[in-house]
């Protein structure tokens, strides 16, 4: 976990603080240090002149702030290493404190005086490193009392600034942070803006005591996770039970077979976690850490998951994909389904745009008048359909629906359908609302070849749908049907932030897609960012190249505050599945759900 905590300079007159009224009090970041010493590498150097408070150098002023916190803690203590010459770097397991012209290469924000960057251990969940950087582009001093001016600007005080930042090192957050709840006004050095306050208050002390005043022992483990051998597609649950002083936090780490580096399983946050459909990438060891509020922790013995392969069938087909989404009035808010036909001869497909019929399945706010448009790879419209009963193929539809397992449309409904025979290539089906209508709609693509033998020679290689992702029932939900004599392997992706990059350059994209794969009500797999855990990332890249999929963004965007896209390679037995795309922590925006058949 990385957390940047910013302290901004605001002139005293702008933020005069009154007594707290109905205050929620201190706030915590959710990470703490283990019991013992917390060494701080003080590397602030010598001031150009005498400091107003008489400190002999910057490190002396910083050490005084460390001691203010030490006076309030029992189980942990800061240790000041003045004049340290340790290397200044992220990820070096040292707690560097220094002046810097930037934040490890990122420019300082307007008015920002300092930042704390903390990381947690992948195995214990406890803090493993905290660096404190101070903005060297400002003119500093060290003093007490009201904030002072330097010309027309404020003169930042190092001692109260690092007092605030060292609170972040310990795991305290801004109690006045409006992103964590209603704005409140209380006296605290941990408030987000610097003020005339130059010492710890009762709120700051209560916060640090809640984290470090306990001196209880570590939890005691009474059950451990169990090693298993599971075939691809099977289920595996790892779990732990502990006694002791709670509440407990659970952190699970995974080390892939053949790897020397563990990764934190960020979605496994409880005493147990189930992988509903085990895949080859899940082979490795799983280790749990149980952490109590005092920072005491106990590690489980590693449990090994051995995954045995299954034989896949080249005759198994992806015969149907249907995606439920929301259609808006703008062109960018259409429901857009792309399909790729592979082979040497033409293929018959059934495409449907379902709106009114969804009401029979309990879907509210349906699209009253869907319009279905089929476009080839060159952008030429080759077919368009409105109400299915007005189609020249209307008489053929009931029999085709029955043969393909599609539900029937009511006579006179405005739902759309078309049968088309398509040469191998790429096609796009667009669902919009006639007359500017909007609402929930379902776009469906069926393999309509007359028999399975024909389908095996010309098959759906890829089906993808782009649409708006909302919250709750407004998720982008893709249903897929796998048919054949045995399992087959697929690449499934939920793409959002990559769509903001060249060549797509879309606006309003889903910045952090979250992908879940279900069979019925059973969650088989889930993924937030395709680089987590890191071990399957190479296989995901290789699968994308193999099927001709565009590459996904590899780095997070600090400006857009994005995560990464989601992806999984999964071998599925014949059956019906659902891929659900939502925004992590209820984010919304445009996303693409893709299903690729791997050869």
């Amino acid at each position: 976990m990385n957390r940047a905590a910013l302290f901004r300079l605001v002139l005293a007159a702008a933020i005069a603080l009154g007594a707290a009224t109905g205050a929620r009090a201190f706030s915590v970041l959710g990470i703490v240090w283990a019991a013992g010493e917390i060494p701080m590498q003080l590397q602030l150097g010598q001031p150009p002149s005498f400091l107003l408070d008489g400190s002999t150098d910057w490190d002396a002023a910083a050490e005084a702030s460390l001691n203010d916190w030490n006076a309030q803690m029992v189980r942990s203590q800061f240790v000041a290493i003045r004049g340290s010459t340790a290397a200044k770097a992220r990820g070096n397991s040292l707690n560097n404190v220094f002046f810097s012209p930037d934040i490890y290469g990122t420019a300082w924000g307007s008015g920002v005086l300092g930042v704390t960057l903390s990381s947690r251990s992948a195995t214990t969940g406890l803090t493993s490193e905290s660096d404190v950087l101070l903005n060297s582009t400002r003119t500093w001093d060290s003093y007490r009392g009201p904030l002072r001016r330097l010309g027309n600007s404020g003169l930042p005080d190092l001692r109260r600034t690092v007092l605030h930042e060292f609170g972040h090192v310990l795991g305290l957050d801004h109690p006045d942070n409006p992103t964590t709840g209603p704005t409140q006004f209380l006296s605290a050095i941990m408030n987000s803006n610097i003020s005339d306050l130059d010492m710890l208050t009762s709120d700051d002390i209560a916060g640090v005591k809640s984290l470090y005043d306990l001196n209880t022992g570590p939890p005691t483990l009474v059950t451990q996770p169990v090693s298993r051998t599971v075939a691809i597609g099977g289920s595996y649950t790892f779990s732990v039970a502990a006694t002791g002083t709670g509440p407990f936090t659970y952190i699970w780490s995974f080390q892939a077979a053949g790897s020397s580096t563990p990764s934190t399983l960020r979605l496994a946050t409880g005493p147990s976690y189930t992988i509903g459909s085990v895949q080859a990438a899940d082979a490795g060891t799983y280790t749990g850490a149980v952490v109590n509020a005092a920072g005491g922790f106990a590690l489980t013995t590693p449990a090994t998951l051995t995954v045995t392969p299954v034989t896949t069938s080249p005759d198994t087909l992806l015969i149907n994909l249907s995606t439920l989404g929301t259609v808006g009035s703008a062109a960018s808010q259409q429901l857009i389904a792309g399909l790729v036909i592979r082979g040497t001869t033409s293929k018959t497909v059934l495409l449907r745009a379902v709106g009114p019929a969804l009401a029979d399945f309990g879907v509210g706010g349906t699209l009253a008048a869907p319009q279905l448009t089929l476009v080839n790879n060159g952008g030429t419209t080759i077919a368009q359909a409105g109400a299915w009963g007005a189609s020249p193929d209307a008489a053929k539809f009931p029999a085709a629906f029955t043969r393909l397992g599609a539900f029937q449309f009511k006579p006179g409904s405005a739902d759309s359908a078309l049968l088309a025979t398509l040469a191998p290539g790429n096609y796009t089906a667009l669902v919009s609302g006639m007359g500017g209508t909007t609402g929930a709609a379902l776009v469906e693509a069926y393999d309509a070849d007359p028999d399975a033998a024909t389908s095996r020679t010309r098959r759906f290689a890829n089906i993808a749908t782009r649409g708006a992702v909302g919250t709750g029932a407004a998720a982008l939900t893709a249903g897929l049907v796998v048919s054949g004599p045995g399992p087959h392997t697929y690449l499934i992706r939920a793409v959002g932030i990559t769509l903001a990059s060249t060549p797509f350059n879309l606006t309003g994209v889903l910045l952090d897609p979250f992908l879940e794969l279900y069979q019925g009500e059973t969650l088989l797999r889930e993924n937030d960012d395709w680089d987590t855990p890191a071990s399957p990332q190479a296989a995901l890249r290789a699968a994308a190249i193999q099927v001709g999929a565009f590459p996904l963004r590899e780095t997070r965007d600090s400006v857009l505050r994005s995560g990464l896209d989601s992806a999984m390679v999964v071998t599925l037995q014949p059956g019906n599945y659902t891929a659900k795309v939502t925004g992590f922590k209820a984010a919304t925006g445009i996303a693409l759900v893709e299903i690729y058949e791997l050869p």
Side-chain angles (χ1 to χ4, degrees), residues 311-349:
T311 301
T312 58
S313 172
D315 294 331
T316 294
L317 306 171
L318 185 63
I319 63 170
N320 166 230
L321 181 117
S322 58
T323 304
L324 178 65
T326 302
V327 174
S329 57
S332 62
Q333 297 172 321
Q334 297 179 89
L335 202 56
I336 304 173
L339 54 150
V340 177
I341 296 173
R342 187 172 61 205
T344 58
T345 57
S346 296
K347 180 177 194 63
T348 302
V349 299

mmCIF file of all heavy atoms in Angstrom, residues 311-349:
data_model
loop_
_atom_site.group_PDB
_atom_site.id
_atom_site.type_symbol
_atom_site.label_atom_id
_atom_site.label_comp_id
_atom_site.label_asym_id
_atom_site.label_seq_id
_atom_site.Cartn_x
_atom_site.Cartn_y
_atom_site.Cartn_z
ATOM 1 N N THR A 311 -7.375 -31.754 -20.217
ATOM 2 C CA THR A 311 -7.254 -31.757 -21.684
ATOM 3 C C THR A 311 -8.382 -30.927 -22.274
ATOM 4 O O THR A 311 -9.560 -31.198 -22.021
ATOM 5 C CB THR A 311 -7.312 -33.187 -22.222
ATOM 6 O OG1 THR A 311 -6.242 -33.961 -21.651
ATOM 7 C CG2 THR A 311 -7.172 -33.186 -23.749
ATOM 8 N N THR A 312 -8.021 -29.908 -23.040
ATOM 9 C CA THR A 312 -9.034 -29.061 -23.670
ATOM 10 C C THR A 312 -9.462 -29.644 -25.012
ATOM 11 O O THR A 312 -8.759 -30.461 -25.608
ATOM 12 C CB THR A 312 -8.507 -27.639 -23.887
ATOM 13 O OG1 THR A 312 -7.330 -27.692 -24.694
ATOM 14 C CG2 THR A 312 -8.169 -26.988 -22.548
ATOM 15 N N SER A 313 -10.635 -29.234 -25.468
ATOM 16 C CA SER A 313 -11.189 -29.760 -26.715
ATOM 17 C C SER A 313 -11.210 -28.684 -27.796
ATOM 18 O O SER A 313 -11.779 -27.605 -27.585
ATOM 19 C CB SER A 313 -12.613 -30.267 -26.477
ATOM 20 O OG SER A 313 -13.231 -30.598 -27.710
ATOM 21 N N PRO A 314 -10.629 -28.964 -28.963
ATOM 22 C CA PRO A 314 -10.708 -27.993 -30.070
ATOM 23 C C PRO A 314 -12.102 -27.890 -30.669
ATOM 24 O O PRO A 314 -12.394 -26.966 -31.431
ATOM 25 C CB PRO A 314 -9.710 -28.551 -31.091
ATOM 26 C CG PRO A 314 -9.676 -30.024 -30.825
ATOM 27 C CD PRO A 314 -9.856 -30.169 -29.341
ATOM 28 N N ASP A 315 -12.983 -28.838 -30.332
ATOM 29 C CA ASP A 315 -14.331 -28.836 -30.893
ATOM 30 C C ASP A 315 -15.328 -28.062 -30.041
ATOM 31 O O ASP A 315 -16.504 -27.957 -30.409
ATOM 32 C CB ASP A 315 -14.832 -30.276 -31.049
ATOM 33 C CG ASP A 315 -14.028 -31.049 -32.095
ATOM 34 O OD1 ASP A 315 -13.524 -30.401 -33.027
ATOM 35 O OD2 ASP A 315 -13.902 -32.273 -31.947
ATOM 36 N N THR A 316 -14.884 -27.539 -28.913
ATOM 37 C CA THR A 316 -15.778 -26.761 -28.053
ATOM 38 C C THR A 316 -15.874 -25.334 -28.590
ATOM 39 O O THR A 316 -14.871 -24.720 -28.958
ATOM 40 C CB THR A 316 -15.270 -26.772 -26.606
ATOM 41 O OG1 THR A 316 -15.368 -28.109 -26.109
ATOM 42 C CG2 THR A 316 -16.088 -25.864 -25.718
ATOM 43 N N LEU A 317 -17.101 -24.802 -28.617
ATOM 44 C CA LEU A 317 -17.373 -23.528 -29.277
ATOM 45 C C LEU A 317 -17.909 -22.489 -28.303
ATOM 46 O O LEU A 317 -18.595 -22.825 -27.330
ATOM 47 C CB LEU A 317 -18.418 -23.726 -30.388
ATOM 48 C CG LEU A 317 -18.125 -24.783 -31.436
ATOM 49 C CD1 LEU A 317 -19.355 -24.984 -32.316
ATOM 50 C CD2 LEU A 317 -16.920 -24.386 -32.265
ATOM 51 N N LEU A 318 -17.616 -21.249 -28.595
ATOM 52 C CA LEU A 318 -18.283 -20.115 -27.958
ATOM 53 C C LEU A 318 -19.471 -19.772 -28.855
ATOM 54 O O LEU A 318 -19.306 -19.211 -29.943
ATOM 55 C CB LEU A 318 -17.312 -18.934 -27.865
ATOM 56 C CG LEU A 318 -17.771 -17.688 -27.121
ATOM 57 C CD1 LEU A 318 -18.026 -17.987 -25.653
ATOM 58 C CD2 LEU A 318 -16.719 -16.587 -27.255
ATOM 59 N N ILE A 319 -20.674 -20.156 -28.440
ATOM 60 C CA ILE A 319 -21.811 -20.076 -29.360
ATOM 61 C C ILE A 319 -22.731 -18.887 -29.107
ATOM 62 O O ILE A 319 -23.608 -18.601 -29.915
ATOM 63 C CB ILE A 319 -22.641 -21.372 -29.328
ATOM 64 C CG1 ILE A 319 -23.264 -21.596 -27.943
ATOM 65 C CG2 ILE A 319 -21.802 -22.564 -29.752
ATOM 66 C CD1 ILE A 319 -24.288 -22.719 -27.932
ATOM 67 N N ASN A 320 -22.588 -18.214 -27.977
ATOM 68 C CA ASN A 320 -23.506 -17.111 -27.697
ATOM 69 C C ASN A 320 -22.879 -16.162 -26.699
ATOM 70 O O ASN A 320 -22.230 -16.587 -25.748
ATOM 71 C CB ASN A 320 -24.831 -17.647 -27.142
ATOM 72 C CG ASN A 320 -25.707 -16.569 -26.510
ATOM 73 O OD1 ASN A 320 -26.173 -16.732 -25.392
ATOM 74 N ND2 ASN A 320 -25.903 -15.456 -27.201
ATOM 75 N N LEU A 321 -23.046 -14.871 -26.937
ATOM 76 C CA LEU A 321 -22.695 -13.874 -25.946
ATOM 77 C C LEU A 321 -23.802 -12.844 -25.907
ATOM 78 O O LEU A 321 -24.276 -12.383 -26.950
ATOM 79 C CB LEU A 321 -21.376 -13.170 -26.253
ATOM 80 C CG LEU A 321 -21.033 -12.150 -25.167
ATOM 81 C CD1 LEU A 321 -19.750 -12.518 -24.444
ATOM 82 C CD2 LEU A 321 -20.925 -10.751 -25.744
ATOM 83 N N SER A 322 -24.233 -12.495 -24.699
ATOM 84 C CA SER A 322 -25.262 -11.470 -24.546
ATOM 85 C C SER A 322 -24.818 -10.509 -23.461
ATOM 86 O O SER A 322 -24.402 -10.945 -22.387
ATOM 87 C CB SER A 322 -26.600 -12.116 -24.167
ATOM 88 O OG SER A 322 -26.478 -12.865 -22.982
ATOM 89 N N THR A 323 -24.867 -9.224 -23.748
ATOM 90 C CA THR A 323 -24.386 -8.229 -22.794
ATOM 91 C C THR A 323 -25.505 -7.272 -22.431
ATOM 92 O O THR A 323 -26.159 -6.678 -23.303
ATOM 93 C CB THR A 323 -23.204 -7.439 -23.379
ATOM 94 O OG1 THR A 323 -22.184 -8.353 -23.778
ATOM 95 C CG2 THR A 323 -22.639 -6.487 -22.342
ATOM 96 N N LEU A 324 -25.710 -7.128 -21.114
ATOM 97 C CA LEU A 324 -26.712 -6.209 -20.586
ATOM 98 C C LEU A 324 -26.034 -4.915 -20.181
ATOM 99 O O LEU A 324 -25.055 -4.927 -19.428
ATOM 100 C CB LEU A 324 -27.412 -6.838 -19.369
ATOM 101 C CG LEU A 324 -28.467 -5.987 -18.654
ATOM 102 C CD1 LEU A 324 -29.663 -5.732 -19.564
ATOM 103 C CD2 LEU A 324 -28.900 -6.672 -17.359
ATOM 104 N N GLY A 325 -26.543 -3.806 -20.690
ATOM 105 C CA GLY A 325 -25.970 -2.514 -20.352
ATOM 106 C C GLY A 325 -27.005 -1.415 -20.492
ATOM 107 O O GLY A 325 -28.186 -1.665 -20.740
ATOM 108 N N THR A 326 -26.549 -0.185 -20.341
ATOM 109 C CA THR A 326 -27.430 0.976 -20.418
ATOM 110 C C THR A 326 -27.145 1.758 -21.692
ATOM 111 O O THR A 326 -25.991 2.080 -21.979
ATOM 112 C CB THR A 326 -27.240 1.889 -19.190
ATOM 113 O OG1 THR A 326 -27.505 1.139 -18.007
ATOM 114 C CG2 THR A 326 -28.182 3.077 -19.259
ATOM 115 N N VAL A 327 -28.192 2.061 -22.450
ATOM 116 C CA VAL A 327 -28.062 2.844 -23.682
ATOM 117 C C VAL A 327 -28.481 4.278 -23.392
ATOM 118 O O VAL A 327 -29.582 4.526 -22.883
ATOM 119 C CB VAL A 327 -28.939 2.249 -24.800
ATOM 120 C CG1 VAL A 327 -28.928 3.156 -26.036
ATOM 121 C CG2 VAL A 327 -28.461 0.849 -25.151
ATOM 122 N N GLY A 328 -27.590 5.225 -23.717
ATOM 123 C CA GLY A 328 -27.898 6.639 -23.552
ATOM 124 C C GLY A 328 -28.250 7.279 -24.874
ATOM 125 O O GLY A 328 -28.362 6.613 -25.912
ATOM 126 N N SER A 329 -28.403 8.587 -24.861
ATOM 127 C CA SER A 329 -28.819 9.297 -26.070
ATOM 128 C C SER A 329 -27.654 9.690 -26.964
ATOM 129 O O SER A 329 -27.841 9.917 -28.162
ATOM 130 C CB SER A 329 -29.617 10.545 -25.687
ATOM 131 O OG SER A 329 -28.847 11.382 -24.826
ATOM 132 N N ALA A 330 -26.441 9.778 -26.423
ATOM 133 C CA ALA A 330 -25.283 10.182 -27.215
ATOM 134 C C ALA A 330 -24.701 8.984 -27.955
ATOM 135 O O ALA A 330 -24.897 7.830 -27.557
ATOM 136 C CB ALA A 330 -24.222 10.808 -26.319
ATOM 137 N N ALA A 331 -23.967 9.269 -29.035
ATOM 138 C CA ALA A 331 -23.354 8.191 -29.815
ATOM 139 C C ALA A 331 -22.388 7.378 -28.965
ATOM 140 O O ALA A 331 -22.273 6.156 -29.117
ATOM 141 C CB ALA A 331 -22.637 8.774 -31.028
ATOM 142 N N SER A 332 -21.680 8.038 -28.049
ATOM 143 C CA SER A 332 -20.724 7.338 -27.190
ATOM 144 C C SER A 332 -21.415 6.461 -26.153
ATOM 145 O O SER A 332 -20.767 5.656 -25.486
ATOM 146 C CB SER A 332 -19.824 8.352 -26.474
ATOM 147 O OG SER A 332 -20.592 9.199 -25.634
ATOM 148 N N GLN A 333 -22.740 6.611 -26.014
ATOM 149 C CA GLN A 333 -23.485 5.855 -25.004
ATOM 150 C C GLN A 333 -24.278 4.702 -25.615
ATOM 151 O O GLN A 333 -25.147 4.129 -24.974
ATOM 152 C CB GLN A 333 -24.424 6.790 -24.244
ATOM 153 C CG GLN A 333 -23.685 7.865 -23.463
ATOM 154 C CD GLN A 333 -24.619 8.907 -22.881
ATOM 155 O OE1 GLN A 333 -25.604 9.317 -23.522
ATOM 156 N NE2 GLN A 333 -24.341 9.350 -21.668
ATOM 157 N N GLN A 334 -24.003 4.365 -26.879
ATOM 158 C CA GLN A 334 -24.603 3.181 -27.468
ATOM 159 C C GLN A 334 -24.001 1.929 -26.830
ATOM 160 O O GLN A 334 -22.911 1.957 -26.269
ATOM 161 C CB GLN A 334 -24.353 3.149 -28.979
ATOM 162 C CG GLN A 334 -24.987 4.290 -29.753
ATOM 163 C CD GLN A 334 -24.666 4.189 -31.225
ATOM 164 O OE1 GLN A 334 -25.365 3.557 -31.989
ATOM 165 N NE2 GLN A 334 -23.572 4.824 -31.629
ATOM 166 N N LEU A 335 -24.715 0.827 -26.935
ATOM 167 C CA LEU A 335 -24.181 -0.471 -26.556
ATOM 168 C C LEU A 335 -23.562 -1.052 -27.823
ATOM 169 O O LEU A 335 -24.258 -1.225 -28.837
ATOM 170 C CB LEU A 335 -25.312 -1.353 -26.027
ATOM 171 C CG LEU A 335 -24.962 -2.532 -25.122
ATOM 172 C CD1 LEU A 335 -24.163 -2.084 -23.910
ATOM 173 C CD2 LEU A 335 -26.231 -3.245 -24.680
ATOM 174 N N ILE A 336 -22.261 -1.305 -27.794
ATOM 175 C CA ILE A 336 -21.531 -1.650 -29.010
ATOM 176 C C ILE A 336 -20.910 -3.026 -28.851
ATOM 177 O O ILE A 336 -20.062 -3.230 -27.972
ATOM 178 C CB ILE A 336 -20.434 -0.604 -29.310
ATOM 179 C CG1 ILE A 336 -21.060 0.802 -29.403
ATOM 180 C CG2 ILE A 336 -19.687 -0.950 -30.580
ATOM 181 C CD1 ILE A 336 -20.048 1.910 -29.523
ATOM 182 N N ALA A 337 -21.333 -3.977 -29.676
ATOM 183 C CA ALA A 337 -20.812 -5.339 -29.624
ATOM 184 C C ALA A 337 -19.979 -5.614 -30.859
ATOM 185 O O ALA A 337 -20.452 -5.454 -31.988
ATOM 186 C CB ALA A 337 -21.950 -6.348 -29.527
ATOM 187 N N GLY A 338 -18.729 -6.004 -30.652
ATOM 188 C CA GLY A 338 -17.863 -6.390 -31.758
ATOM 189 C C GLY A 338 -17.715 -7.894 -31.791
ATOM 190 O O GLY A 338 -17.648 -8.548 -30.750
ATOM 191 N N LEU A 339 -17.701 -8.483 -32.984
ATOM 192 C CA LEU A 339 -17.510 -9.921 -33.109
ATOM 193 C C LEU A 339 -16.519 -10.219 -34.221
ATOM 194 O O LEU A 339 -16.463 -9.504 -35.231
ATOM 195 C CB LEU A 339 -18.821 -10.659 -33.340
ATOM 196 C CG LEU A 339 -19.748 -10.247 -34.482
ATOM 197 C CD1 LEU A 339 -20.521 -11.462 -34.990
ATOM 198 C CD2 LEU A 339 -20.757 -9.207 -33.990
ATOM 199 N N VAL A 340 -15.726 -11.264 -34.008
ATOM 200 C CA VAL A 340 -14.724 -11.693 -34.973
ATOM 201 C C VAL A 340 -15.065 -13.116 -35.401
ATOM 202 O O VAL A 340 -15.239 -14.006 -34.548
ATOM 203 C CB VAL A 340 -13.302 -11.648 -34.376
ATOM 204 C CG1 VAL A 340 -12.291 -12.178 -35.386
ATOM 205 C CG2 VAL A 340 -12.943 -10.226 -33.959
ATOM 206 N N ILE A 341 -15.181 -13.323 -36.710
ATOM 207 C CA ILE A 341 -15.453 -14.646 -37.262
ATOM 208 C C ILE A 341 -14.170 -15.156 -37.905
ATOM 209 O O ILE A 341 -13.574 -14.482 -38.751
ATOM 210 C CB ILE A 341 -16.604 -14.593 -38.282
ATOM 211 C CG1 ILE A 341 -17.892 -14.166 -37.570
ATOM 212 C CG2 ILE A 341 -16.776 -15.949 -38.967
ATOM 213 C CD1 ILE A 341 -19.040 -13.919 -38.496
ATOM 214 N N ARG A 342 -13.756 -16.332 -37.467
ATOM 215 C CA ARG A 342 -12.531 -16.934 -37.975
ATOM 216 C C ARG A 342 -12.889 -18.149 -38.834
ATOM 217 O O ARG A 342 -13.799 -18.908 -38.500
ATOM 218 C CB ARG A 342 -11.631 -17.347 -36.807
ATOM 219 C CG ARG A 342 -10.237 -17.829 -37.227
ATOM 220 C CD ARG A 342 -9.359 -18.034 -36.010
ATOM 221 N NE ARG A 342 -9.915 -19.053 -35.120
ATOM 222 C CZ ARG A 342 -9.676 -19.114 -33.818
ATOM 223 N NH1 ARG A 342 -8.949 -18.180 -33.239
ATOM 224 N NH2 ARG A 342 -10.188 -20.085 -33.080
ATOM 225 N N GLY A 343 -12.152 -18.344 -39.907
ATOM 226 C CA GLY A 343 -12.402 -19.485 -40.789
ATOM 227 C C GLY A 343 -12.192 -19.087 -42.244
ATOM 228 O O GLY A 343 -11.612 -18.042 -42.540
ATOM 229 N N THR A 344 -12.705 -19.909 -43.151
ATOM 230 C CA THR A 344 -12.501 -19.643 -44.579
ATOM 231 C C THR A 344 -13.810 -19.459 -45.328
ATOM 232 O O THR A 344 -13.795 -19.086 -46.510
ATOM 233 C CB THR A 344 -11.718 -20.804 -45.223
ATOM 234 O OG1 THR A 344 -12.431 -22.025 -45.020
ATOM 235 C CG2 THR A 344 -10.316 -20.920 -44.611
ATOM 236 N N THR A 345 -14.935 -19.737 -44.676
ATOM 237 C CA THR A 345 -16.223 -19.597 -45.353
ATOM 238 C C THR A 345 -17.167 -18.769 -44.497
ATOM 239 O O THR A 345 -16.918 -18.527 -43.312
ATOM 240 C CB THR A 345 -16.860 -20.979 -45.620
ATOM 241 O OG1 THR A 345 -16.999 -21.676 -44.370
ATOM 242 C CG2 THR A 345 -15.993 -21.805 -46.560
ATOM 243 N N SER A 346 -18.270 -18.334 -45.092
ATOM 244 C CA SER A 346 -19.209 -17.455 -44.400
ATOM 245 C C SER A 346 -19.936 -18.189 -43.277
ATOM 246 O O SER A 346 -20.097 -19.406 -43.291
ATOM 247 C CB SER A 346 -20.227 -16.900 -45.397
ATOM 248 O OG SER A 346 -19.582 -16.085 -46.356
ATOM 249 N N LYS A 347 -20.392 -17.393 -42.303
ATOM 250 C CA LYS A 347 -21.045 -17.930 -41.126
ATOM 251 C C LYS A 347 -22.380 -17.217 -40.922
ATOM 252 O O LYS A 347 -22.480 -16.005 -41.117
ATOM 253 C CB LYS A 347 -20.157 -17.728 -39.889
ATOM 254 C CG LYS A 347 -20.754 -18.255 -38.591
ATOM 255 C CD LYS A 347 -19.763 -18.071 -37.459
ATOM 256 C CE LYS A 347 -20.205 -18.899 -36.264
ATOM 257 N NZ LYS A 347 -20.216 -20.338 -36.567
ATOM 258 N N THR A 348 -23.402 -17.964 -40.478
ATOM 259 C CA THR A 348 -24.711 -17.383 -40.182
ATOM 260 C C THR A 348 -24.770 -17.025 -38.695
ATOM 261 O O THR A 348 -24.414 -17.840 -37.837
ATOM 262 C CB THR A 348 -25.840 -18.356 -40.521
ATOM 263 O OG1 THR A 348 -25.748 -18.704 -41.901
ATOM 264 C CG2 THR A 348 -27.197 -17.721 -40.241
ATOM 265 N N VAL A 349 -25.202 -15.792 -38.408
ATOM 266 C CA VAL A 349 -25.318 -15.334 -37.024
ATOM 267 C C VAL A 349 -26.713 -14.753 -36.811
ATOM 268 O O VAL A 349 -27.356 -14.252 -37.747
ATOM 269 C CB VAL A 349 -24.255 -14.275 -36.669
ATOM 270 C CG1 VAL A 349 -22.847 -14.836 -36.817
ATOM 271 C CG2 VAL A 349 -24.417 -13.024 -37.517
#
